[in-house]
Amino acid sequence: MINSTDDTQLSQCQKLISISRDLASTLDLDILLNRIVQAAAELSDAEAASILLYDQQSGKLHFQVTTNLKEPLMRGLIVPVENSIAGWIVQNRQPIIINEVQQDKRHFKIINKAIIAPTQSLLGVPLIARNKITGVLEAINKKSGLFTPGDQEILMTLGAQAAVAIENSRLFQQSDLIAEFVHELRTPLSALFTATDLIMHPKVSKEKKLEFADSIYGEVHRLSDMADDFLHIARLESGRIQFRIQPFDLTDVLNECVALVHKQAEQSNLSFESSISTDIPTLHGDRDKIKQAVLNLLSNAIKYTPPGGDIILETATSPDEVKICVRDTGIGVSETHQRKLFEKFYRVPGAEKHASGTGLGLAIVKRIVEGHGGVIEIESEVDVGTTFSIHLPLGSRRR
Ligand code: ADP
């Protein structure tokens, strides 16, 4: 005879089997993490669930996804290993059930600000794949009653499968990115090969040698930029986004950008204007990363605008968001290419005639902006100009 407990267990096992199939079917880390937290909440009958990923190199935990985040802005929030429940799970490699989280000394209270409902009860399990700890899966607030050893068992099973899926997705992303990178290395390397070959030729004039040396310098520069950008995008894609969330003044950041690119614009014979509101509310986010995103857009505007053109940096604030626009009167981008601009390594055919580049700048901008819960848009017309607009939510300010 099957009683009701057996019934529940059976249906949970069936759910687990279908979830496992689902997990194995995607290599996209974002989709995967979201599926895992949905499944964890459902299987343990919890109000919410979260994943924190553990970065072996820095020894830190990064709050990754949760079903009850107030806003995506808190993604990447660093949770200390020393002073948190998740840290305890990592250090002890063991599951834990806590019924009164707020009374627990290990509870990392800052997390309360980031989630919709405060944590009362918690069931946490380590994510271990190939004997390596990848992170922590937590189910938060049992809907009725307390978390049981049965819930713990089922979450451990889900966690084991989730850990392998996460590792596979990371390895796949890395190998994919490395393959693309190696492919992209070929062009500068073959240019270097030709130039060094020619420079050594006895019959080449001194002037020509200088010309080749110049092109070698340019290609080496490009390789070094590629290495920097590559590292950057690899970190952003690995799921260990290291956004340092802090309150900051966007006006200051934009003024710093202006000071940095003003000279460069002048040297390229471009007029550069800025119209930055002074009443932008305090933002919460990674100041340096936002600065980098704006600098990437400004540097592109300078690169792809012929001498005599105009570049404008301006902002507009509404109750919900702040918009940062970088306008130029440059070469523009046709609609067909606009769709691909944010892909890694993509450059509009012929772009190299105007400026050297890696094709990674806009991919980095997009990831930074989206990591802050924002969006980036492009409006452009060939031979007329381009406007890139970053929209950042102001949600966190009002609380
Ligand atoms: P890159 O290092 O090539 O500049 P990005 O990712 O920053 O890489 O930009 C990708 C491509 O988008 C560029 O190669 C260029 O073709 C196009 N692009 C970017 N910004 C502009 C702009 N302001 N005007 C015209 N084309 C642009």
Side-chain angles (χ1 to χ4, degrees):
M1 199 181 87
I2 295 177
N3 63 30
S4 73
T5 324
D6 290 339
D7 248 4
T8 330
Q9 275 178 355
L10 193 67
S11 94
Q12 280 195 324
C13 283
Q14 277 165 345
K15 263 190 218 155
L16 195 58
I17 290 168
S18 105
I19 288 162
S20 309
R21 273 200 213 108
D22 215 27
L23 294 187
S25 71
T26 180
L27 283 164
D28 182 310
L29 190 62
D30 273 348
I31 298 179
L32 188 64
L33 295 177
N34 276 303
R35 281 188 190 165
I36 298 168
V37 285
Q38 298 293 349
E42 201 183 316
L43 285 169
S44 59
D45 194 29
E47 278 176 12
S50 320
I51 285 184
L52 296 98
L53 291 182
Y54 180 59
D55 184 356
Q56 306 274 346
Q57 278 160 8
S58 65
K60 285 179 182 147
L61 274 159
H62 297 264
F63 199 71
Q64 209 59 38
V65 289
T66 172
T67 49
N68 77 340
L69 255 196
K70 266 182 189 161
E71 58 188 282
L73 195 61
M74 301 315 285
R75 258 192 97 157
L77 179 82
I78 293 174
V79 176
V81 170
E82 291 307 326
N83 222 344
S84 66
I85 296 169
W88 183 93
I89 297 171
V90 166
Q91 283 173 332
N92 294 278
R93 290 178 157 236
Q94 272 183 33
I96 197 168
I97 292 178
I98 301 176
N99 290 321
E100 286 187 48
V101 173
Q102 301 298 328
Q103 310 315 314
D104 197 289
K105 281 207 296 293
R106 291 164 293 198
H107 180 50
F108 182 57
K109 299 238 166 21
I110 294 175
I111 223 87
N112 283 349
K113 290 195 193 136
I115 52 181
I116 292 164
T119 312
Q120 268 130 24
S121 56
L122 180 149
L123 159 60
V125 301
L127 297 173
I128 298 173
R130 300 178 189 106
N131 209 22
K132 207 172 86 184
I133 183 130
T134 328
V136 171
L137 175 61
E138 292 181 342
I140 294 148
N141 298 345
K142 178 92 177 166
K143 281 187 188 154
S144 66
L146 303 172
F147 285 116
T148 63
D151 293 331
Q152 179 173 309
E153 203 176 318
I154 198 136
L155 217 63
M156 284 291 279
T157 314
L158 173 69
Q161 287 166 2
V164 174
I166 291 170
E167 268 309 284
N168 285 345
S169 146
R170 277 180 165 175
L171 288 172
F172 175 77
Q173 277 186 356
Q174 277 170 14
S175 62
D176 206 30
L177 194 58
I178 288 167
E180 275 181 272
F181 182 58
V182 171
H183 180 75
E184 293 302 318
L185 282 181
R186 287 195 180 151
T187 318
L189 281 179
S190 96
L192 277 174
F193 188 73
T194 317
T196 41
D197 199 33
L198 287 170
I199 219 167
M200 286 187 298
H201 207 280
K203 290 209 177 117
V204 171
S205 68
K206 204 172 165 198
E207 290 75 43
K208 275 281 169 210
K209 281 190 177 167
L210 280 176
E211 216 178 276
F212 295 144
D214 200 46
S215 93
I216 291 175
Y217 179 79
E219 292 302 332
V220 169
H221 208 76
R222 178 151 159 226
L223 280 174
S224 146
D225 284 350
M226 266 177 87
D228 288 346
D229 284 353
F230 175 77
L231 270 183
H232 213 109
I233 199 113
R235 283 201 192 111
L236 285 167
E237 283 200 342
S238 68
R240 284 164 288 190
I241 308 168
Q242 304 201 351
F243 288 147
R244 302 205 173 276
I245 310 295
Q246 55 180 341
F248 71 94
D249 185 340
L250 184 66
T251 311
D252 285 351
V253 170
L254 296 179
N255 284 328
E256 285 167 27
C257 294
V258 172
L260 282 168
V261 298
H262 208 268
K263 271 248 156 58
Q264 214 183 326
E266 224 174 72
Q267 280 161 0
S268 307
N269 201 9
L270 298 166
S271 106
F272 181 51
E273 275 172 46
S274 61
S275 159
I276 303 166
S277 2
T278 46
D279 61 350
I280 305 173
T282 300
L283 288 185
H284 289 79
D286 190 322
R287 183 188 202 281
D288 294 342
K289 296 269 188 315
I290 296 290
K291 183 169 166 181
Q292 191 200 347
V294 176
L295 281 175
N296 280 7
L297 294 183
L298 286 170
S299 131
N300 277 352
I302 294 173
K303 278 184 354 187
Y304 302 108
T305 305
D310 304 320
I311 290 166
I312 302 169
L313 170 67
E314 58 190 14
T315 59
T317 316
S318 72
D320 295 327
E321 64 164 36
V322 55
K323 183 164 83 163
I324 309 162
C325 296
V326 175
R327 296 182 195 285
D328 67 51
T329 56
I331 59 171
V333 184
S334 71
E335 234 168 272
T336 342
H337 297 296
Q338 284 177 26
R339 268 178 266 135
K340 296 186 173 165
L341 277 199
F342 298 99
E343 286 172 14
K344 285 180 300 227
F345 298 111
Y346 189 79
R347 302 196 76 203
V348 174
E352 60 281 356
K353 276 197 304 216
H354 299 275
S356 70
T358 62
L360 288 172
L362 287 177
I364 292 174
V365 175
K366 186 167 193 275
R367 278 177 178 76
I368 293 175
V369 171
E370 289 180 353
H372 283 77
V375 284
I376 175 150
E377 284 172 348
I378 174 175
E379 264 176 78
S380 187
E381 204 178 317
V382 175
D383 293 334
V384 176
T386 306
T387 301
F388 282 100
S389 312
I390 294 177
H391 300 252
L392 292 174
L394 285 172
S396 56
R397 187 187 63 94
R398 294 196 304 275
R399 278 189 288 275

